RNA sequence: GCCCCUGUAGCUCAGUAGGAUAGAGCGCGAGAUUCCUAAUCUCGAGGUCGCAGGUUCGAAUCCUGCCAGGGGCGCCA
C-alpha cells in the first residue's frame, strides 16, 4: 500500500532528523485536488509544536531527504501552510499491476487478524415465522463481514442462535393448535398476542396430516406436538431462505440444547458464588448495576421461567470461556440496543474483557413500493418476506443494495428500482464492467490471443491518462479492504467497486483494448485483467456474483 | 425524562481517529453508436454539510446546548 509506504518513509525521515517523537499523529491522505498531488501529508504542521522550526522549514528538510527515492516519487512539492504533496511515479503503479496479475484473486488479502478466532453471530431470528426483509439486511451484512474478515486474516466461525425455548414457543404451539382446530371446523377464539401469520395455517395443515388424531389428544400434548413441528418447519424454511441468499453457517446453536446440557444452571451457580444474584419479589435478579448497567435484570421470573437473558449469559460465557474465541461479533437490529448494557455487564461479571464482544446495530429497513414508503412492522403484519423480495429482485441486486449503506443508516429499499435492469440499478453497472472485460477476452481469443503469460508482458506501454488513473484506483484496493475490515464496513467495498467500474467504463469507451499494435494490446489486456480480477474479488466479498456474460 | 442512530444537492446516500475550492448515483437539460457488449460514455445546472456556540493554523468530521426524524427504555424476545 503506497499510503503506508509513504507514512513509513516520512516516519523514518523524521526520526532521522529529530529522533523519536512521542504521540506523533500525522496523516497521509489522498487530496481531493489533483494540484496537491496523489498523496499529501500534514506532518510538518503537526511537528511545528514539537520542533523549533516553522512548518515550511520542517517540510523543506523532510522533502530534501525523500526526493532521493525516485522509484516511488516522481515529484514532491511543499505548499503553504506546510503540506507536503507527493506525486507517485508510474513505475510504482506498473509494479503494482504486475503484482495483481501475479497474485490474481489472492491480491488484496491481508493479515490484520493474524489468525485470531472470531465468532460472528447473525440473523438469529426467532423460529416463530419466516425471515423478512429486515433479517435480510442482517444476513447480507453479517455474511459479507465474515467474508471480509476471512480475507483479512481472521479465522471466522458463523453461527445462528436459535431461540427455541420459552414462552414464545408455547404461544407458537398454541397458535398452530388453534388453527388446526379452526381448520377442522371448530369455532375458536384467536388471542390477540398469538401468531396471526398465514404460515401458521400451513403448519396446522401439516400437523393434521402427520397426526390425524391430533385434536383428540390431551390439549397439552397436542400443543407440544404443534410446537415442535412448528419450530422444525419454520427453521427449515429459514435455513432454505438463507441458503438461497448464499448465506451459510458453521453452526446452528439451539438455546434449548444449551439448557438441556446444564450450562445455564452451571453459569448461574458461578454468579451465585460471586454473590451477584439475589431474590426479590419472587424473581431472581442479576446485579448488572455492579457493572454499569442502568438497572438490575431478572434472570428467573417469579413463575419459574427463565428469561432470554439467562440463556444469553450462558451462551456468551461459553463463547469466550469454553470455546475460546478471541472476538465475538453480534449483529443485532437497532431495536435491541437496550440489551447491550446487561450483556456486557454479564461478561464483566466473569472478568471477561467486554471489549471482546462487538455488537453491531443495524438500522431499520423501510420498504418502498409504488413510490410509497412502508415501515416493516411485524406487529401490523405489514412485512415483506425475504423470499418474496429475493424472488422479485434477485439475490445479487438485493445483497448489493443492502450492502450499499452504512449499517448506521436506515435503509429505504425501493423494490421497483431494485427490479429495474437499467442504469438506475447500480449492481448491474458493476457486473457489466466485469462482463464487458470477459467479452473483450473472448474477442481476443477469436483473434488468436489465448494463453497469456503476464510475466512476459511489457506494461510500460500504458500511458494514457485513463490508464494511469485506473492503475491508481487499482492500487487503492488494499486500503479499501483494510478499512472495510477494521471498521466492519463492507459498504466501503461497494462504493469502491462502483468507482472502479465507472473508471473502467470511461476507459473502455475512449480507448480500444484490441489494437493493431500487439505490444499495446497485451499491456491493455493486462490492465483489463487486473480490473476484472479486482471486480470479481470485491463482488465476491459482497456475496454478489460476477457474471461473464450479461 | 434517560439511552442509541440519523440530519450533507430535488431524491437516495458516501465522506467523520480534523486538512486545502464538500463528492457520487438517480432525476432534470443537451449530446455520442459503420469499430472489443449503449445494462455504456460526454457536457451542463444543482449546497448557509439541521441550528447556535466552543476547541485551533484549519471543523461536515471533535466538545457543549438546542431543533427535527427513527428506534429503545418489561419478570417479552
Amino acid at each position: 500500500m503506497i499510503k503506508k509506504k509513504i507514512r513509513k518513509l516520512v516516519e523514518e525521515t523524521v526520526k532521522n532528523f529529530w529522533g523519536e517523537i512521542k504521540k506523533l499523529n500525522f496523516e497521509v491522505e489522498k487530496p481531493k485536488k489533483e494540484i496537491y498531488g496523489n498523496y499529501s501529508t500534514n506532518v510538518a504542521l503537526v511537528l511545528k509544536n514539537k520542533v523549533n522550526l516553522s512548518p515550511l522549514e520542517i517540510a523543506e528538510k523532510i522533502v530534501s531527504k525523500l526526493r532521493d527515492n525516485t522509484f516511488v516519487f516522481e515529484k514532491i512539492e511543499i505548499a503553504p501552510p506546510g503540506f507536503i504533496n507527493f506525486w507517485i511515479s508510474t513505475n510504482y503503479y506498473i509494479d503494482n499491476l504486475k503484482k495483481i496479475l501475479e497474485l490474481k484473486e489472492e491480491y488484496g488479502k491481508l493479515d490484520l487478524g493474524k489468525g485470531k478466532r472470531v465468532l460472528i453471530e447473525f440473523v438469529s431470528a426467532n423460529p416463530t415465522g419466516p425471515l423478512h426483509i429486515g433479517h435480510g439486511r442482517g444476513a447480507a451484512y453479517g455474511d459479507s463481514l465474515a467474508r471480509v474478515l476471512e480475507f483479512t486474516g481472521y479465522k471466522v466461525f458463523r453461527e445462528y442462535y436459535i431461540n427455541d425455548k420459552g414462552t414464545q414457543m408455547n404461544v407458537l404451539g398454541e397458535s398452530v393448535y388453534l388453527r388446526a382446530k379452526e381448520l377442522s371446523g371448530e369455532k375458536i377464539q384467536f388471542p390477540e398476542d398469538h401468531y396471526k401469520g398465514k404460515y401458521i395455517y400451513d403448519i396446522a395443515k401439516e400437523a393434521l396430516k402427520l397426526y390425524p388424531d391430533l385434536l383428540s389428544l390431551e390439549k397439552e400434548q397436542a400443543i407440544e406436538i404443534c410446537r415442535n413441528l412448528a419450530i422444525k418447519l419454520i427453521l427449515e424454511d429459514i435455513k432454505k431462505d438463507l441458503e438461497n441468499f448464499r448465506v451459510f453457517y458453521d453452526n446452528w446453536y439451539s438455546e434449548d440444547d444449551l439448557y438441556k446440557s446444564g450450562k445455564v444452571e452451571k453459569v448461574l451457580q458461578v454468579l451465585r458464588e460471586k454473590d451477584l444474584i439475589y431474590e426479590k419479589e419472587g424473581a431472581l435478579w442479576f446485579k448488572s448495576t455492579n457493572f454499569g448497567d442502568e438497572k438490575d435484570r431478572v434472570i428467573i421470573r417469579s413463575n419459574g421461567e427463565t428469561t432470554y437473558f439467562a440463556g444469553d449469559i450462558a451462551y456468551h460465557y461459553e463463547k469466550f470461556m469454553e470455546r475460546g474465541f478471541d472476538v465475538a461479533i453480534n449483529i443485532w437490529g437497532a431495536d435491541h440496543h437496550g440489551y447491550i448494557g446487561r450483556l456486557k455487564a454479564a461478561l464483566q461479571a466473569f472478568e471477561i474483557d467486554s471489549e471482546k464482544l462487538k455488537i453491531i446495530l443495524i438500522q431499520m429497513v423501510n420498504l418502498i413500493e409504488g413510490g410509497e414508503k412502508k415501515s416493516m412492522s411485524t406487529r401490523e403484519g405489514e412485512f415483506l418476506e425475504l423470499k418474496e423480495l429475493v424472488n422479485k429482485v434477485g439475490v445479487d441486486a438485493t445483497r448489493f443494495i443492502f450492502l450499499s449503506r452504512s449499517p448506521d443508516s436506515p435503509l429505504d429499499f425501493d423494490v421497483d428500482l431494485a427490479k429495474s435492469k437499467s442504469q438506475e440499478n447500480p449492481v448491474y453497472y458493476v457486473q457489466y464492467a466485469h462482463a464487458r472485460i470477459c467479452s473483450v477476452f473472448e474477442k481476443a481469443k477469436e483473434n488468436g490471443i489465448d494463453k497469456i503469460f503476464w510475466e512476459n508482458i511489457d506494461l510500460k506501454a500504458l500511458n494514457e491518462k485513463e490508464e494511469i488513473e485506473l492503475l491508481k484506483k487499482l492500487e487503492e484496493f488494499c486500503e479499501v479492504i483494510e478499512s472495510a475490515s477494521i471498521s466492519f464496513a463492507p459498504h466501503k467495498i461497494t462504493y469502491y467497486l462502483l468507482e472502479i467500474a465507472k473508471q473502467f467504463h470511461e476507459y473502455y469507451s475512449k480507448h480500444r483494448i484490441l489494437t493493431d499494435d500487439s505490444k499495446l494490446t497485451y499491456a491493455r489486456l493486462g490492465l483489463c485483467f487486473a480490473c476484472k480480477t479486482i471486480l470479481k474479488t470485491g463482488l465476491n466479498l459482497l456475496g454478489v456474483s460476477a457474471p461473464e456474460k450479461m
Side-chain angles (χ1 to χ4, degrees):
Chain A
M1 280 182 264
I2 183 67
K3 203 161 153 182
K4 284 239 167 106
K5 198 173 183 87
I6 295 172
R7 170 173 283 276
K8 228 178 110 197
L9 290 170
V10 170
E11 269 168 2
E12 277 168 14
T13 312
V14 169
K15 199 173 156 190
N16 236 302
F17 280 117
W18 298 284
E20 204 79 56
I21 290 179
K22 273 182 229 159
K23 281 196 250 167
L24 181 65
N25 274 326
F26 68 95
E27 302 285 332
V28 176
E29 54 165 31
K30 237 183 73 175
K32 287 163 194 157
K33 295 280 167 183
E34 247 171 78
I35 53 162
Y36 299 128
N38 306 126
Y39 287 88
S40 86
T41 178
N42 62 350
V43 68
L45 293 162
V46 175
L47 267 174
K48 77 165 183 188
N49 292 325
K50 319 239 176 195
V51 178
N52 203 13
L53 287 172
S54 78
L56 288 174
E57 288 167 321
I58 295 167
E60 200 56 63
K61 283 189 96 125
I62 293 172
V63 169
S64 69
K65 194 76 194 254
L66 291 178
R67 279 212 176 98
D68 301 341
N69 194 335
T70 51
F71 179 77
V72 176
F73 302 119
E74 184 184 291
K75 185 170 75 170
I76 306 178
E77 280 182 0
I78 297 166
F83 290 103
I84 302 175
N85 300 327
F86 303 97
W87 279 260
I88 308 303
S89 78
T90 307
N91 287 338
Y92 181 86
Y93 290 119
I94 295 272
D95 206 53
N96 183 65
L97 174 59
K98 278 186 199 150
K99 214 186 283 173
I100 301 173
L101 295 174
E102 185 191 319
L103 294 173
K104 302 193 177 68
E105 258 116 87
E106 299 289 304
Y107 179 84
K109 272 196 180 174
L110 301 171
D111 192 22
L112 301 172
K114 308 209 184 333
K116 270 195 208 147
R117 296 177 67 235
V118 181
L119 176 68
I120 302 192
E121 184 215 321
F122 62 113
V123 184
S124 297
N126 294 348
T128 56
L131 297 179
H132 58 67
I133 137 177
H135 298 124
R137 186 176 187 187
Y141 176 85
D143 180 67
S144 178
L145 180 61
R147 290 169 193 244
V148 171
L149 292 180
E150 256 165 6
F151 197 64
T152 52
Y154 292 87
K155 184 101 190 60
V156 178
F157 198 85
R158 298 152 217 238
E159 192 156 276
Y160 187 117
Y161 183 65
I162 311 162
N163 299 121
D164 51 359
K165 189 183 179 307
T167 24
Q168 290 311 304
M169 291 304 111
N170 294 329
V171 172
L172 176 68
E174 197 170 344
S175 303
V176 171
Y177 176 69
L178 288 169
R179 290 307 189 202
K181 277 185 153 185
E182 188 185 349
L183 286 170
S184 319
E186 259 186 69
K187 258 217 147 47
I188 56 149
Q189 264 214 317
F190 201 80
E192 193 54 33
D193 61 350
H194 279 40
Y195 294 96
K196 285 174 269 187
K198 200 179 127 275
Y199 61 94
I200 297 292
Y201 284 105
D202 299 335
I203 297 166
K205 259 181 234 161
E206 190 66 18
L208 289 168
K209 206 170 99 192
L210 291 173
Y211 307 92
D213 58 345
L214 181 76
L215 299 176
S216 56
L217 294 173
E218 253 339 273
K219 188 182 170 193
E220 295 303 314
Q221 203 191 341
I223 288 179
E224 163 131 19
I225 286 173
C226 288
R227 194 192 71 174
N228 292 340
L229 181 67
I231 294 175
K232 179 170 163 272
L233 292 178
I234 291 173
L235 216 48
E236 276 171 11
D237 183 58
I238 287 175
K239 214 175 269 200
K240 211 176 76 204
D241 282 357
L242 288 168
E243 282 175 9
N244 260 333
F245 201 49
R246 299 183 199 133
V247 175
F248 302 90
Y249 287 89
D250 296 298
N251 191 33
W252 295 70
Y253 196 111
S254 155
E255 183 186 13
D256 202 33
D257 288 349
L258 182 68
Y259 276 88
K260 284 182 180 146
S261 70
K263 282 172 187 158
V264 177
E265 191 38 56
K266 186 184 137 197
V267 164
L268 293 189
Q269 191 53 40
V270 176
L271 290 178
R272 262 187 214 107
E273 279 159 19
K274 289 176 181 276
D275 196 26
L276 291 168
I277 283 183
Y278 63 92
E279 215 178 310
K280 192 179 89 184
E281 294 158 6
L284 213 60
W285 298 70
F286 166 55
K287 289 186 191 170
S288 52
T289 46
N290 281 18
F291 308 98
D293 195 13
E294 293 166 8
K295 52 200 256 190
D296 290 344
R297 308 291 177 175
V298 170
I299 43 183
I300 300 181
R301 297 192 267 159
S302 49
N303 66 4
E305 294 247 21
T306 49
T307 59
Y308 176 83
F309 186 38
D312 239 4
I313 293 174
Y315 179 40
H316 285 85
Y317 174 87
E318 205 199 18
K319 281 184 183 176
F320 294 107
M321 301 299 271
E322 288 177 12
R323 299 210 266 162
F325 285 103
D326 300 301
V327 180
I329 300 174
N330 290 8
I331 293 157
W332 290 351
D335 52 340
H336 287 62
H337 123 265
Y339 206 80
I340 297 174
R342 75 192 71 171
L343 193 53
K344 295 221 168 193
L347 292 181
Q348 286 172 49
F350 299 117
E351 285 150 54
I352 298 166
D353 178 6
S354 63
E355 286 298 301
K356 287 170 135 189
L357 175 66
K358 313 275 187 199
I359 295 172
I360 295 157
L361 298 176
I362 302 204
Q363 297 296 320
M364 275 200 143
V365 177
N366 296 307
L367 189 66
I368 298 190
E369 208 163 10
E372 226 182 295
K373 191 164 179 169
K374 303 170 179 169
S375 274
M376 299 297 293
S377 148
T378 319
R379 210 167 289 160
E380 303 300 320
E382 174 96 354
F383 63 87
L384 182 66
E385 285 187 28
L386 179 61
K387 64 168 79 64
E388 290 178 61
L389 180 74
V390 169
N391 282 342
K392 281 186 191 175
V393 173
V395 176
D396 284 338
T398 304
R399 291 189 66 130
F400 195 89
I401 290 167
F402 278 141
L403 294 170
S404 62
R405 294 277 179 287
S406 145
D408 285 339
S409 221
L411 187 144
D412 291 333
F413 199 112
D414 188 327
V415 179
D416 303 317
L417 190 148
K419 275 196 291 193
S420 78
K421 297 201 168 176
S422 69
Q423 52 177 341
E424 296 170 302
N425 199 338
V427 64
Y428 299 113
Y429 187 81
V430 176
Q431 289 184 319
Y432 185 55
H434 184 268
R436 254 186 163 173
I437 298 172
C438 291
S439 162
V440 172
F441 277 93
E442 273 303 304
K443 198 77 184 179
K445 206 169 168 182
E446 287 171 25
N447 297 352
I449 303 174
D450 199 355
K451 296 245 181 305
I452 307 173
F453 297 94
W454 298 118
E455 58 274 23
N456 299 335
I457 304 297
D458 179 12
L459 298 163
K460 295 241 166 30
L462 299 171
N463 52 29
E464 294 288 347
K465 181 172 171 288
E466 290 78 9
E467 290 169 339
I468 307 299
E469 290 305 312
L470 263 177
L471 288 174
K472 288 178 187 165
K473 200 74 199 173
L474 289 169
E475 207 277 337
E476 281 173 37
F477 185 62
C478 295
E479 267 165 47
V480 172
I481 296 298
E482 180 182 47
S483 172
S485 175
I486 289 173
S487 51
F488 295 165
H491 72 277
K492 288 178 191 260
I493 298 172
T494 311
Y495 279 89
Y496 173 79
L497 291 175
L498 284 164
E499 285 165 17
I500 201 138
K502 179 190 170 76
Q503 280 187 213
F504 176 77
H505 286 310
E506 279 172 29
Y507 174 53
Y508 179 92
S509 60
K510 195 156 177 189
H511 303 283
R512 279 194 65 83
I513 313 299
L514 306 173
T515 66
D516 299 334
D517 178 346
S518 95
K519 199 173 152 187
L520 184 63
T521 299
Y522 277 106
R524 288 185 171 174
L525 282 172
L527 180 59
C528 287
F529 191 83
C531 290
K532 175 168 105 90
T533 304
I534 297 244
L535 286 168
K536 190 169 176 188
T537 305
L539 284 170
N540 190 44
L541 289 171
L542 302 180
V544 175
S545 73
E548 307 205 338
K549 282 200 174 92
M550 283 176 76

